[in-house]
Each structure stands twice: as C-alpha cells, then as structure tokens.
Amino acid sequence: MFTGLSAFPHSPLRDDVVDESAYGVLIERLVAAGVDSITALGSTGAYMYLDRAERRRVATAAVRHAGSIPVMVGIGALRTSQVLRLADDAQEAGASAVLLAPVTYQALGDDEVFGLFEDVTAGLSVPLVVYDNPGTTHVTFSDELYARIAALPNVASIKIPGVPVDPAEAAARVRAIRDRIPTSVGVGVSGDSAAATGLNAGCDVWYSVIGGTLPETALRISRAALSGDHALATAESERLEPLWAVFRAYGSYRVTAAIGEILGLVAPDSLPRPVHGLTREARTLVARLVDDLDLRA
Amino acid sequence: MFTGLSAFPHSPLRDDVVDESAYGVLIERLVAAGVDSITALGSTGAYMYLDRAERRRVATAAVRHAGSIPVMVGIGALRTSQVLRLADDAQEAGASAVLLAPVTYQALGDDEVFGLFEDVTAGLSVPLVVYDNPGTTHVTFSDELYARIAALPNVASIKIPGVPVDPAEAAARVRAIRDRIPTSVGVGVSGDSAAATGLNAGCDVWYSVIGGTLPETALRISRAALSGDHALATAESERLEPLWAVFRAYGSYRVTAAIGEILGLVAPDSLPRPVHGLTREARTLVARLVDDLDLRA
C-alpha cells in the first residue's frame, strides 16, 4: 500500500457543503486509472476545514467508491483527543491506514510532536503515515525526530516534503533518512514537482496532489520511475514544468481545484472560504495549460 | 470597552475537559481586581483547541461570572462558515464584542483575509477586534490591510502584535497606524513585554496575557501608563523583565498556565495535549519568579 502512486483527491464543497456526488466521481476516476492507493482528507482533501461529521462522511464515501484500492485517511487536528476520535472514525469507516500531520496553533517542540505520535500510534489497528508538511503545519522535522517517530509501533511510511533538485543529492537525502529509520518504514515524496526526482532517488511512493485529479498523468511518472525508466519519469515531469510553475505561483491546492472545475469534475467555488479560488486571469492560464499539456486525465 | 486592560484568561482543562469551576474562579479574580474588560477564548484561552460546544460553555461562563465587566469572545476558526456560527454563539452568550484572528492552514493572501473580515463583520450586532497574531496565524498584516479592514462596519479596535522597543519609534508606529484607520477604531498592544511601551506610545488598550492570571500586576502598568505616569509604567515593566525572559524562552501560554498552577488556581496539566506544560526545571524557575517578583496577584 505504501508504494507507487497515492492519489490525494480534493474534497469539493458546493454552497459550503461537501459535494459527495462530485467526490464519488473523483474517487471512481482514480479507481478507473488504477492508482495504487487513495489518500482521502489530505491537505488537498481540505481535512483541516471540515468538522468531524463531514470528515466521517468523506472517509466513508472514499472507502465505498474505492472498491479494492486501499484508502488512507488524514486524521490531523490541533488537539490530541480530537485526533484520537478521528482515528477511531477513520478505522470505523474502513480506512486501510491513517495519515497524521502535527498541525499547530501554539508552536510545538520536538517532544510535543513526538508525544502526539506516541499517543496516537499506541491505539491504532492500522498503519500510520507520518505527514511532514512544514508549509501548512509550521513544524520542522529533524532526522532525529523522524528516527524517534519511525520507531513507534504502527508507523509505516514518512511523507517527506520534497528532495533536492540534483539527482545525486536527492539519492543521498533519501539514503540519509533510511539510515535513521527501521527498514519496515517506507519513505514517500510529496511536492509534485519533486516527485520524479524523489522516486528516481529511491522513494517508495509519491503522495501526490495532482494524482487526485489527473491520475493518468501522475501514473506515467510513478510507473516509469518505479520500473527503472528514470529518464522517462524525468522527461514527463519536465514536460509538466509549466504546471509546477503555476503550483508555485498560486499553490497546488487552488490550482488543482481549478483543474477539477475546468474539467467539469467539480462545481465552481469548491474551496472552503476564506480560501478563494484562482482569479479569472490565473484560471484562464490554467485552462490553457490543461489543453497545451494534454491534462484531461 | 476598548481601553485600559483587557485580561485574557486561560481556559484550563482537567483530564481533557474544560474545568468550568476553575475558570469561574479565574474570571472572578479579574472582576475583583477591576480589569476594564475580559477577553475569553483568546490564544491564552486556547480557543483553537476547543470545539464549538466547549467554546459556547466557556463564553457563557465568562459572561456569567464577569458581572458588569464587558466580555469579548474569540471566534477564530479556519473556515468562514465556522466563524459565523461561533459569532452567533458568542453573541447569544452575551459577548459585548468579538475577537477575530485570521487563522490559517493553507496560507491566505490579503484579499482572502479581507474577505473573511468582510463576511464576518457584515452580520455582527456587536463590535469586532481585529486580532493580528502572526506567531500563531502566520498571517502578516500590512498597514494597507489594516486600513481596508478598519473601514469595515463594526470594527472597533486592532490588536497589534507589539511595538518597537524605542519609545519614539513606538510612538511613530502607533501614529502611522492611526493615520491609516478611522478615528473610531482603537489600537491595542499585545506582547506583554511591549505593553508599557505600547501604552506610553498611545495605544488605547493592552490585550494582556498576564492580565488574565495576574490582574493586579498588569493593572499597575496599564493604570500608570494611561494616567500619564509613563515612568512608573516603564519601571514596573522593567521590574518584570525576568518574567518576560521566561515568556521568550518557553512561550507566554505555557508560562501563564504554570503560574496559574503554582498559585493553585488551576489543576496540573491544564493545557490541551499535544501542548505540554513546562518541564520541572522551568517550572521551578517560574515558581521562584512568582516569589521573587511578588506575583501573587
């Protein structure tokens, strides 16, 4: 489950209510493409904006539509007791694994982050993915903290926030992490523009934003890299550079929602306010990229 | 209401449940000291860690125990629709004003922050305090953004995150903000170590962490500054420098909770996990400060 392409679908809203019908279509699109796993309620899945009942409904819908494809469910929240309840809900919904980022309001020290993972992993019946997402959590993981957390029970994989651009440096970075963690714990790359480099450098899995909306596009990269055709993975990622550029300019979250809207998969205004969708100008640019880069799958 | 000392009490937990009995004692201590207002559910009041029902109970308890002292209630949340519901709850609980910080998970641009305040202020029946707290929200307000938001209906005060240490620079900073906002909108200082300088520099109010637990200590500073005895306010703040030093080292949130515990006002382990209280070593240091600085009121 912690190899290949893990696709992170958007949780679209319609008039501030989760659009379960559109969500089902998104999930079935991932199933049809043959992604290796689906991660519901990641950052792209707006987990931090949804309340407990909404998150339970999204997790349940993901599992129902995913068929035999394993579903991981994001359980991050600010308070440990809330995370524990969300972990219970995710497992009851049929999640095959859970994903946990140490989200913060008050800044957390390493012992506090470790304590969160210790408290949560202790009671799990499914594996856990450690979600290192400094851009949204404002937590910086040291390799020492990776090592402490990876030694906890039920930890299966670490979602790292990227790798160096240089292939040799990227490989050294992945090796350095692996040297600190048990061999049973995998390493997955996120930051879509770094995915080909990360997989070529030895990551097991790509935790992919774009994979949730454009699964075939993402699978071309993950399958090439993991079958050893590093050059093809790199070439395909380089072909998508204009997409990575708009990710950098507007944020992958807003751009991916816009692509879903442009493809008619989700209704307009699908993001949780106060987050705005792209401006008309940016949306026009993204719509042109969808055509120019042949991003309809 | 937006002048003098606004005291921000801690919302203590006991076995992960809000300790309403201890909370009532904290509020009555503020009433007895004669603070000018009470802000329930600020950062010190753990608002982001509490769910809607908990926040309703805390707001109701604050108003009940505060008697004739006006109570402001923090309504920040990640999603606009959640903020709107919390605003309704706060007003139903009897809040005299609400306090709103633009908390983030996905980073927000200026138009998104403005849109949040526009949506929330439109429906309010009470005044709103703009809560600029970059350390927890990761939003940086420009003076231009202050100006846009201050022009919205129902905006009464801006809680700024501090002022320059130099008195002349502090006065220039407060004047620069006032030049951009309507005269009907006040400016309040936060960051307790900056309070004397901020009030001396022309701020109307001190939004005070320590005022929620040590109201008489805080009132000595605010009353001196606002009665024109700037030297006394400065001297009292300088006397407390060892306290500001532990705030810088461990965070005002953790230190204030520890002081409440040391004074016997709240039970041990009153913070929401994963946030930890102070280490034994730091707590010993704070306990010594409580005695050395005569911080029992």
Side-chain angles (χ1 to χ4, degrees), chain A residues 13 16-18 43-44 47-51 54 78-82 85 101 103-109 111-113 115-116 119 131 133 135-138 253-254 272-277, chain B residues 13 16-18 43-44 47-51 54 78-82 85 101 103-109 111-112 115-116 119 131 133 135-138 253-254 272-277:
Chain A
L13 300 182
D16 203 55
V17 174
V18 175
S43 292
T44 308
Y47 73 106
M48 278 301 287
Y49 298 91
L50 306 184
D51 67 24
E54 289 172 322
L78 286 167
R79 185 160 149 207
T80 302
S81 56
Q82 294 165 339
R85 282 196 291 269
V103 287
T104 56
Y105 180 75
Q106 299 287 343
L108 296 178
D111 286 344
E112 292 169 317
V113 172
L116 169 68
D119 289 344
Y131 191 177
N133 190 346
T136 56
T137 65
H138 308 283
Y253 181 57
R254 293 175 182 80
R273 291 274 161 153
V275 180
H276 291 180
Chain B
L13 299 182
D16 202 53
V17 174
V18 175
S43 291
T44 309
Y47 74 105
M48 278 301 288
Y49 297 91
L50 305 183
D51 67 23
E54 290 173 321
L78 286 168
R79 184 159 148 209
T80 301
S81 56
Q82 294 165 338
R85 283 196 290 269
V103 287
T104 57
Y105 181 73
Q106 298 288 345
L108 296 178
D111 285 344
E112 292 169 316
L116 169 68
D119 289 344
Y131 192 177
N133 191 346
T136 57
T137 65
H138 308 284
Y253 181 58
R254 292 173 181 82
R273 291 274 161 154
V275 181
H276 290 179

XYZ file of all heavy atoms in Angstrom, chain A residues 13 16-18 43-44 47-51 54 78-82 85 101 103-109 111-113 115-116 119 131 133 135-138 253-254 272-277, chain B residues 13 16-18 43-44 47-51 54 78-82 85 101 103-109 111-112 115-116 119 131 133 135-138 253-254 272-277:
733
model
N -16.478 21.421 -2.125
C -17.676 21.949 -1.469
C -18.614 22.525 -2.534
O -18.186 22.921 -3.608
C -17.299 23.058 -0.488
C -16.359 22.686 0.658
C -16.131 23.883 1.572
C -16.920 21.505 1.465
N -20.835 25.492 0.532
C -20.266 25.203 1.850
C -20.635 23.816 2.402
O -20.438 23.540 3.582
C -20.638 26.304 2.865
C -19.654 26.342 4.032
O -18.444 26.458 3.775
O -20.104 26.227 5.187
N -21.145 22.951 1.551
C -21.460 21.580 1.969
C -20.622 20.638 1.101
O -20.468 20.870 -0.101
C -22.965 21.280 1.767
C -23.283 19.813 2.053
C -23.807 22.202 2.636
N -20.070 19.582 1.701
C -19.263 18.639 0.916
C -20.146 18.033 -0.186
O -21.236 17.537 0.082
C -18.704 17.516 1.806
C -17.984 16.481 0.949
C -17.752 18.086 2.853
N -4.122 17.324 2.731
C -4.250 18.779 2.607
C -5.112 19.135 1.410
O -5.954 20.034 1.481
C -2.878 19.434 2.457
O -2.160 19.305 3.663
N -4.901 18.411 0.299
C -5.708 18.649 -0.893
C -7.168 18.302 -0.620
O -8.070 18.855 -1.236
C -5.164 17.779 -2.052
O -3.766 18.024 -2.165
C -5.845 18.089 -3.363
N -8.787 18.581 4.832
C -9.185 17.985 6.115
C -9.317 18.988 7.235
O -10.214 18.869 8.076
C -8.214 16.865 6.507
C -6.847 17.292 6.981
C -6.495 17.226 8.328
C -5.881 17.743 6.090
C -5.240 17.597 8.763
C -4.625 18.116 6.518
C -4.304 18.045 7.856
O -3.067 18.420 8.287
N -8.433 19.986 7.271
C -8.465 20.893 8.425
C -9.672 21.838 8.403
O -9.965 22.485 9.404
C -7.169 21.686 8.520
C -6.042 20.915 9.185
S -6.433 20.374 10.893
C -6.338 21.942 11.791
N -10.347 21.914 7.278
C -11.507 22.818 7.172
C -12.821 22.102 7.469
O -13.861 22.749 7.541
C -11.556 23.439 5.773
C -10.334 24.279 5.501
C -9.201 23.740 4.913
C -10.300 25.612 5.900
C -8.058 24.512 4.698
C -9.165 26.386 5.695
C -8.049 25.828 5.096
O -6.923 26.585 4.910
N -12.777 20.793 7.583
C -14.015 20.015 7.731
C -14.195 19.582 9.175
O -13.221 19.276 9.872
C -13.973 18.786 6.810
C -13.700 19.080 5.325
C -13.784 17.782 4.509
C -14.671 20.114 4.767
N -15.443 19.548 9.628
C -15.676 19.118 11.011
C -15.733 17.582 11.077
O -15.626 16.892 10.068
C -16.921 19.796 11.603
C -18.211 19.354 10.941
O -18.257 18.245 10.361
O -19.196 20.122 11.023
N -18.340 15.833 8.901
C -18.008 15.928 7.472
C -16.864 14.969 7.132
O -16.889 14.306 6.080
C -17.598 17.362 7.132
C -18.753 18.355 7.145
C -18.296 19.803 6.987
O -17.230 20.180 7.543
O -19.009 20.572 6.338
N -5.829 19.817 15.901
C -4.951 20.548 16.815
C -4.794 19.884 18.174
O -3.793 20.099 18.849
C -5.470 21.976 17.010
C -5.231 22.919 15.818
C -6.040 24.193 15.977
C -3.747 23.246 15.694
N -5.789 19.100 18.603
C -5.763 18.563 19.970
C -5.688 17.050 19.900
O -6.400 16.422 19.123
C -7.035 19.022 20.678
C -7.153 18.660 22.145
C -8.181 19.577 22.777
N -8.956 19.055 23.863
C -10.178 19.489 24.177
N -10.769 20.431 23.436
N -10.830 18.992 25.201
N -4.863 16.468 20.714
C -4.639 15.020 20.661
C -5.940 14.243 20.806
O -6.172 13.266 20.081
C -3.637 14.607 21.759
O -2.412 15.322 21.559
C -3.375 13.124 21.733
N -6.799 14.670 21.714
C -8.050 13.922 21.915
C -8.924 13.965 20.662
O -9.636 12.990 20.362
C -8.814 14.464 23.125
O -9.066 15.847 22.999
N -8.855 15.066 19.922
C -9.600 15.133 18.653
C -8.994 14.167 17.637
O -9.720 13.490 16.900
C -9.549 16.572 18.093
C -10.281 17.595 18.954
C -9.922 19.048 18.609
O -8.883 19.319 18.018
N -10.789 19.979 19.006
N -10.138 10.658 18.298
C -11.511 10.403 17.842
C -11.560 10.250 16.326
O -12.269 9.388 15.797
C -12.437 11.543 18.295
C -12.824 11.428 19.770
C -14.016 12.306 20.106
N -13.697 13.725 20.050
C -13.269 14.446 21.089
N -13.122 13.883 22.279
N -13.014 15.721 20.958
N -0.485 14.628 10.299
C 0.408 15.799 10.349
C 0.251 16.466 11.710
O -0.852 16.562 12.230
C 0.035 16.795 9.257
N -0.379 19.337 13.115
C -0.811 20.723 12.891
C -0.671 21.512 14.192
O -0.771 20.965 15.290
C -2.258 20.789 12.356
C -2.296 20.343 10.909
C -3.217 19.974 13.181
N -0.433 22.804 14.040
C -0.139 23.616 15.213
C -0.957 24.907 15.230
O -1.322 25.441 14.191
C 1.341 24.054 15.226
O 1.639 24.746 14.012
C 2.263 22.867 15.384
N -1.220 25.384 16.423
C -1.599 26.790 16.635
C -0.484 27.383 17.504
O 0.314 28.156 17.016
C -2.988 26.903 17.282
C -3.402 28.335 17.502
C -3.804 29.122 16.431
C -3.362 28.914 18.769
C -4.157 30.461 16.616
C -3.712 30.249 18.960
C -4.107 31.018 17.882
O -4.451 32.341 18.075
N -0.370 26.947 18.755
C 0.851 27.215 19.501
C 1.965 26.358 18.880
O 1.748 25.193 18.557
C 0.688 26.833 20.983
C -0.404 27.605 21.714
C -0.020 29.048 22.007
O 1.142 29.429 21.953
N -1.032 29.864 22.319
N 3.133 26.932 18.699
C 4.259 26.173 18.154
C 4.571 24.990 19.071
O 4.452 25.089 20.297
C 5.479 27.082 18.035
N 4.935 23.866 18.474
C 5.237 22.652 19.249
C 6.730 22.350 19.194
O 7.358 22.483 18.138
C 4.471 21.457 18.688
C 2.942 21.508 18.760
C 2.340 20.255 18.110
C 2.454 21.621 20.212
N 7.281 21.903 20.300
C 8.651 21.408 20.329
C 8.698 19.939 19.921
O 7.657 19.275 19.800
N 9.524 17.268 21.517
C 8.937 16.308 22.459
C 7.406 16.326 22.370
O 6.757 15.290 22.588
C 9.365 16.625 23.900
C 10.817 16.230 24.152
O 11.378 15.452 23.349
O 11.382 16.705 25.149
N 6.852 17.475 22.055
C 5.398 17.560 21.916
C 4.934 16.852 20.642
O 3.926 16.124 20.648
C 4.960 19.029 21.954
C 5.186 19.641 23.344
C 5.019 21.145 23.389
O 5.508 21.846 22.478
O 4.407 21.636 24.356
N 5.679 17.062 19.551
C 5.327 16.363 18.301
C 5.466 14.850 18.508
O 4.572 14.073 18.144
C 6.223 16.851 17.140
C 5.999 16.004 15.897
C 5.947 18.331 16.841
N 5.257 13.229 21.290
C 4.190 12.799 22.200
C 2.868 12.587 21.478
O 2.124 11.647 21.768
N 2.585 13.461 20.520
C 1.358 13.295 19.727
C 1.382 11.953 18.991
O 0.417 11.170 19.053
C 1.239 14.454 18.727
C 0.162 14.296 17.650
C -1.238 14.348 18.255
C 0.311 15.380 16.566
N 1.051 9.008 21.416
C -0.313 8.811 21.915
C -1.222 8.207 20.838
O -2.089 7.396 21.139
C -0.909 10.148 22.391
C -0.259 10.645 23.681
O 0.413 9.844 24.363
O -0.414 11.844 23.998
N 3.115 12.600 8.350
C 2.882 13.619 7.319
C 3.704 14.854 7.678
O 3.333 15.626 8.561
C 1.389 13.927 7.332
C 0.806 14.756 6.218
C -0.569 14.991 6.199
C 1.569 15.290 5.185
C -1.163 15.740 5.194
C 0.993 16.028 4.180
C -0.371 16.258 4.192
O -0.965 17.002 3.200
N 4.674 18.232 6.597
C 4.188 19.259 5.671
C 4.433 20.644 6.290
O 3.512 21.297 6.778
C 2.686 19.013 5.434
C 2.137 19.866 4.306
O 2.773 20.821 3.865
N 0.951 19.538 3.840
N 4.916 23.570 5.276
C 4.254 24.761 4.746
C 2.906 25.033 5.397
O 2.483 26.183 5.488
N 2.258 23.984 5.846
C 0.952 24.183 6.492
C 1.024 23.980 8.006
O 0.245 24.584 8.735
C -0.106 23.215 5.928
O 0.372 21.884 6.086
C -0.385 23.489 4.457
N 1.925 23.110 8.491
C 1.960 22.846 9.938
C 2.929 23.766 10.667
O 2.825 23.918 11.886
C 2.411 21.401 10.237
O 3.772 21.250 9.803
C 1.522 20.389 9.536
N 3.914 24.306 9.947
C 4.958 25.141 10.552
C 5.801 24.349 11.557
O 6.401 24.924 12.461
C 4.360 26.410 11.164
C 3.488 27.145 10.185
N 4.011 27.913 9.176
C 2.147 27.156 10.006
C 3.021 28.391 8.438
N 1.880 27.950 8.916
N -3.017 23.608 -4.106
C -4.386 23.375 -3.639
C -5.392 24.123 -4.518
O -6.362 23.550 -5.023
C -4.479 23.848 -2.191
C -5.804 23.671 -1.514
C -6.395 22.417 -1.428
C -6.454 24.755 -0.940
C -7.613 22.262 -0.778
C -7.659 24.606 -0.281
C -8.236 23.348 -0.210
O -9.434 23.196 0.432
N -5.114 25.412 -4.737
C -6.031 26.224 -5.548
C -5.990 25.800 -7.014
O -7.023 25.755 -7.689
C -5.663 27.703 -5.423
C -5.906 28.281 -4.036
C -5.391 29.724 -3.950
N -5.575 30.302 -2.620
C -4.781 30.072 -1.584
N -3.732 29.268 -1.701
N -5.028 30.642 -0.414
N -13.078 25.838 0.573
C -13.693 26.348 1.807
C -13.293 27.803 2.049
O -12.117 28.088 2.239
C -13.102 25.436 2.894
C -11.792 24.974 2.341
C -11.958 24.916 0.846
N -14.253 28.717 2.069
C -13.952 30.099 2.430
C -13.337 30.125 3.814
O -13.791 29.359 4.662
C -15.247 30.933 2.429
C -15.820 31.136 1.055
C -15.171 32.327 0.431
N -15.372 32.284 -1.030
C -15.393 33.385 -1.779
N -15.249 34.557 -1.232
N -15.530 33.296 -3.074
N -12.358 30.961 4.097
C -11.942 32.144 3.332
C -10.988 31.877 2.171
O -10.548 32.835 1.547
C -11.232 33.000 4.392
C -10.625 32.005 5.321
C -11.629 30.874 5.379
N -10.658 30.626 1.890
C -9.777 30.345 0.757
C -10.548 30.658 -0.528
O -11.685 30.206 -0.698
C -9.330 28.874 0.760
C -8.411 28.598 -0.417
C -8.645 28.516 2.082
N -9.947 31.439 -1.379
C -10.563 31.781 -2.657
C -10.003 30.889 -3.752
O -8.846 30.479 -3.689
C -10.245 33.219 -3.054
C -10.881 34.267 -2.199
N -10.696 35.610 -2.407
C -11.719 34.174 -1.133
C -11.377 36.301 -1.508
N -11.994 35.457 -0.707
N -10.811 30.652 -4.759
C -10.294 30.018 -5.966
C -9.395 30.989 -6.716
O -9.166 32.124 -6.294
N -7.918 23.006 31.328
C -8.503 21.670 31.157
C -8.169 20.826 32.385
O -7.181 21.063 33.080
C -7.927 20.991 29.915
C -8.161 21.694 28.577
C -7.568 20.860 27.442
C -9.637 21.931 28.322
N -8.657 16.625 30.090
C -9.105 16.969 28.728
C -10.528 17.547 28.678
O -11.125 17.659 27.611
C -9.001 15.755 27.783
C -8.932 16.184 26.331
O -8.060 17.014 25.997
O -9.761 15.720 25.533
N -11.062 17.956 29.825
C -12.386 18.601 29.863
C -12.191 20.002 30.435
O -11.420 20.187 31.378
C -13.352 17.784 30.757
C -14.689 18.516 30.918
C -13.548 16.387 30.181
N -12.891 20.992 29.871
C -12.764 22.354 30.395
C -13.197 22.363 31.860
O -14.280 21.885 32.208
C -13.615 23.348 29.584
C -13.557 24.734 30.227
C -13.139 23.425 28.138
N -5.924 33.525 22.461
C -4.918 32.457 22.345
C -4.643 31.847 23.713
O -4.529 30.630 23.850
C -3.620 33.004 21.763
O -3.821 33.353 20.414
N -4.543 32.702 24.732
C -4.317 32.210 26.092
C -5.502 31.375 26.558
O -5.344 30.473 27.383
C -4.110 33.420 27.038
O -3.110 34.263 26.477
C -3.697 32.978 28.423
N -8.583 28.982 22.406
C -9.782 28.862 21.561
C -9.646 27.863 20.431
O -10.595 27.144 20.116
C -10.202 30.237 21.023
C -9.339 30.818 19.927
C -9.771 30.843 18.607
C -8.096 31.370 20.200
C -8.998 31.391 17.597
C -7.318 31.916 19.205
C -7.759 31.925 17.898
O -6.992 32.455 16.900
N -8.462 27.807 19.819
C -8.349 26.934 18.649
C -8.351 25.449 19.014
O -8.491 24.592 18.144
C -7.100 27.284 17.844
C -7.293 28.468 16.910
S -8.628 28.223 15.672
C -7.850 27.021 14.563
N -8.190 25.143 20.282
C -8.159 23.729 20.699
C -9.524 23.232 21.150
O -9.685 22.033 21.394
C -7.141 23.552 21.830
C -5.744 23.877 21.378
C -5.218 25.155 21.504
C -4.953 22.917 20.744
C -3.948 25.476 21.051
C -3.684 23.222 20.289
C -3.194 24.500 20.441
O -1.939 24.798 19.967
N -10.482 24.146 21.290
C -11.785 23.773 21.852
C -12.819 23.660 20.738
O -12.784 24.410 19.761
C -12.221 24.817 22.874
C -11.214 25.096 24.015
C -11.815 26.091 25.004
C -10.802 23.817 24.731
N -13.743 22.726 20.893
C -14.779 22.586 19.871
C -15.914 23.585 20.130
O -15.909 24.326 21.109
C -15.260 21.133 19.764
C -16.012 20.650 20.992
O -16.562 21.485 21.745
O -16.061 19.430 21.206
N -17.687 23.368 23.518
C -16.805 23.828 24.604
C -16.686 25.347 24.593
O -16.694 25.987 25.656
C -15.413 23.197 24.453
C -15.383 21.707 24.749
C -14.035 21.062 24.424
O -13.408 21.437 23.393
O -13.606 20.176 25.170
N -10.843 28.064 11.136
C -10.235 28.004 9.809
C -11.207 28.307 8.679
O -10.776 28.727 7.610
C -9.614 26.617 9.581
C -8.309 26.373 10.342
C -7.934 24.906 10.302
C -7.178 27.219 9.755
N -12.490 28.052 8.905
C -13.451 28.176 7.789
C -14.444 29.280 8.113
O -14.974 29.348 9.225
C -14.155 26.824 7.626
C -15.122 26.714 6.476
C -15.310 25.241 6.160
N -16.588 24.841 5.658
C -17.121 23.628 5.838
N -16.458 22.703 6.543
N -18.290 23.322 5.326
N -14.747 30.101 7.151
C -15.619 31.255 7.378
C -16.959 30.834 7.970
O -17.464 31.484 8.895
C -15.821 32.014 6.055
O -14.545 32.434 5.563
C -16.713 33.232 6.246
N -17.533 29.768 7.464
C -18.852 29.360 7.975
C -18.772 28.962 9.443
O -19.721 29.178 10.204
C -19.428 28.219 7.130
O -18.536 27.121 7.083
N -17.647 28.403 9.854
C -17.465 28.080 11.277
C -17.362 29.364 12.095
O -17.933 29.465 13.184
C -16.192 27.232 11.466
C -16.266 25.851 10.825
C -14.893 25.176 10.701
O -13.855 25.832 10.701
N -14.897 23.851 10.554
N -20.769 30.839 12.677
C -21.522 30.135 13.736
C -20.994 30.503 15.122
O -21.770 30.694 16.062
C -21.435 28.615 13.522
C -22.355 28.116 12.421
C -22.560 26.611 12.490
N -21.363 25.895 12.119
C -21.075 25.492 10.876
N -21.912 25.733 9.882
N -19.979 24.841 10.625
N -9.047 36.445 14.747
C -7.743 36.266 14.097
C -7.955 35.436 12.831
O -8.738 34.488 12.833
C -6.784 35.526 15.021
N -6.903 32.751 11.312
C -6.080 31.544 11.427
C -6.009 30.847 10.068
O -6.922 30.925 9.258
C -6.614 30.594 12.521
C -6.329 31.159 13.898
C -8.083 30.308 12.364
N -4.907 30.157 9.857
C -4.667 29.570 8.535
C -4.235 28.115 8.620
O -3.623 27.688 9.598
C -3.525 30.316 7.796
O -2.343 30.271 8.601
C -3.903 31.739 7.489
N -4.552 27.370 7.574
C -3.886 26.100 7.286
C -3.221 26.305 5.919
O -2.006 26.412 5.851
C -4.869 24.930 7.297
C -4.191 23.613 7.013
C -3.388 23.013 7.978
C -4.312 22.986 5.782
C -2.717 21.823 7.712
C -3.663 21.792 5.512
C -2.868 21.218 6.472
O -2.202 20.039 6.199
N -3.999 26.458 4.863
C -3.440 26.981 3.629
C -3.147 28.466 3.860
O -3.960 29.181 4.460
C -4.452 26.839 2.472
C -4.837 25.407 2.150
C -3.734 24.616 1.464
O -2.758 25.180 0.962
N -3.885 23.304 1.451
N -2.007 28.930 3.396
C -1.673 30.349 3.542
C -2.726 31.197 2.833
O -3.254 30.799 1.785
C -0.292 30.624 2.953
N -3.049 32.341 3.415
C -4.062 33.231 2.839
C -3.407 34.503 2.303
O -2.507 35.059 2.932
C -5.097 33.626 3.894
C -5.959 32.502 4.480
C -6.895 33.061 5.553
C -6.769 31.807 3.382
N -3.895 34.975 1.171
C -3.485 36.274 0.642
C -4.317 37.383 1.270
O -5.324 37.130 1.949
N -6.414 39.494 0.032
C -7.829 39.553 -0.357
C -8.639 38.490 0.377
O -9.823 38.697 0.670
C -7.986 39.355 -1.867
C -7.562 40.600 -2.645
O -7.449 41.687 -2.028
O -7.340 40.480 -3.861
N -8.017 37.377 0.670
C -8.719 36.311 1.400
C -8.918 36.717 2.866
O -9.992 36.501 3.438
C -7.951 34.999 1.272
C -7.991 34.467 -0.168
C -7.046 33.313 -0.434
O -5.878 33.373 0.003
O -7.458 32.353 -1.107
N -11.555 39.308 2.869
C -12.863 38.680 2.613
C -13.442 38.034 3.867
O -14.652 38.113 4.119
N -12.578 37.421 4.662
C -13.039 36.831 5.927
C -13.643 37.911 6.823
O -14.770 37.768 7.334
C -11.859 36.151 6.635
C -12.112 35.710 8.071
C -13.117 34.567 8.128
C -10.805 35.295 8.747
N -16.943 39.220 5.404
C -18.078 38.295 5.592
C -18.543 38.280 7.043
O -19.740 38.168 7.315
C -17.682 36.873 5.174
C -17.531 36.734 3.662
O -18.007 37.624 2.927
O -16.919 35.739 3.218
N -7.598 40.744 15.300
C -6.568 40.082 16.107
C -5.393 39.748 15.187
O -5.454 38.788 14.419
C -7.193 38.819 16.680
C -6.447 38.071 17.767
C -7.056 36.952 18.341
C -5.204 38.441 18.236
C -6.438 36.231 19.347
C -4.584 37.725 19.234
C -5.197 36.620 19.784
O -4.592 35.892 20.783
N -1.999 38.329 15.071
C -1.148 37.469 15.896
C -0.302 36.584 14.980
O -0.578 35.393 14.823
C -2.056 36.625 16.808
C -1.271 35.884 17.884
O -0.049 35.791 17.812
N -1.964 35.354 18.865
N 2.465 35.113 15.094
C 3.159 33.935 15.616
C 2.303 32.677 15.573
O 2.831 31.571 15.458
N 0.999 32.841 15.651
C 0.118 31.663 15.606
C -0.648 31.556 14.287
O -0.963 30.447 13.866
C -0.911 31.694 16.758
O -1.652 32.910 16.671
C -0.237 31.604 18.124
N -0.943 32.693 13.646
C -1.740 32.616 12.404
C -0.863 32.525 11.157
O -1.341 32.101 10.115
C -2.631 33.862 12.233
O -1.780 35.010 12.065
C -3.556 34.058 13.415
N 0.389 32.978 11.271
C 1.296 33.024 10.118
C 0.782 33.960 9.025
O 1.152 33.817 7.863
C 1.580 31.608 9.592
C 2.040 30.696 10.685
N 3.303 30.739 11.210
C 1.371 29.773 11.427
C 3.405 29.863 12.207
N 2.237 29.277 12.361
N 2.079 31.350 26.793
C 0.944 30.451 27.037
C 1.285 29.403 28.096
O 0.556 29.204 29.072
C 0.590 29.782 25.700
C -0.573 28.838 25.722
C -1.831 29.263 26.135
C -0.421 27.521 25.293
C -2.912 28.397 26.124
C -1.497 26.656 25.270
C -2.736 27.094 25.693
O -3.794 26.225 25.675
N 2.438 28.764 27.918
C 2.846 27.718 28.862
C 3.211 28.322 30.230
O 2.892 27.756 31.271
C 4.042 26.935 28.310
C 3.694 26.093 27.082
C 4.956 25.476 26.480
N 4.669 24.681 25.285
C 4.516 25.200 24.078
N 4.636 26.496 23.875
N 4.261 24.410 23.040
N -4.053 21.834 26.593
C -4.570 20.817 25.666
C -3.433 20.051 25.003
O -2.650 20.643 24.272
C -5.357 21.639 24.641
C -4.702 22.995 24.663
C -4.185 23.206 26.050
N -3.347 18.753 25.231
C -2.368 17.944 24.513
C -2.617 18.086 23.026
O -3.768 18.106 22.628
C -2.506 16.462 24.925
C -2.082 16.186 26.342
C -0.627 15.938 26.379
N -0.123 16.108 27.760
C 0.955 15.515 28.218
N 1.646 14.707 27.465
N 1.373 15.731 29.431
N -1.575 18.143 22.177
C -0.184 17.780 22.437
C 0.663 18.863 23.106
O 1.856 18.634 23.284
C 0.357 17.496 21.031
C -0.405 18.429 20.159
C -1.789 18.488 20.753
N 0.097 20.010 23.441
C 0.893 21.028 24.120
C 1.232 20.515 25.515
O 0.350 20.062 26.250
C 0.109 22.357 24.210
C 0.957 23.421 24.904
C -0.336 22.830 22.833
N 2.497 20.571 25.852
C 2.941 20.144 27.183
C 3.109 21.366 28.080
O 3.450 22.445 27.610
C 4.308 19.463 27.110
C 4.305 18.133 26.444
N 5.441 17.389 26.274
C 3.312 17.407 25.882
C 5.146 16.267 25.644
N 3.865 16.254 25.387
N 2.912 21.156 29.361
C 3.282 22.188 30.326
C 4.800 22.313 30.402
O 5.545 21.600 29.717
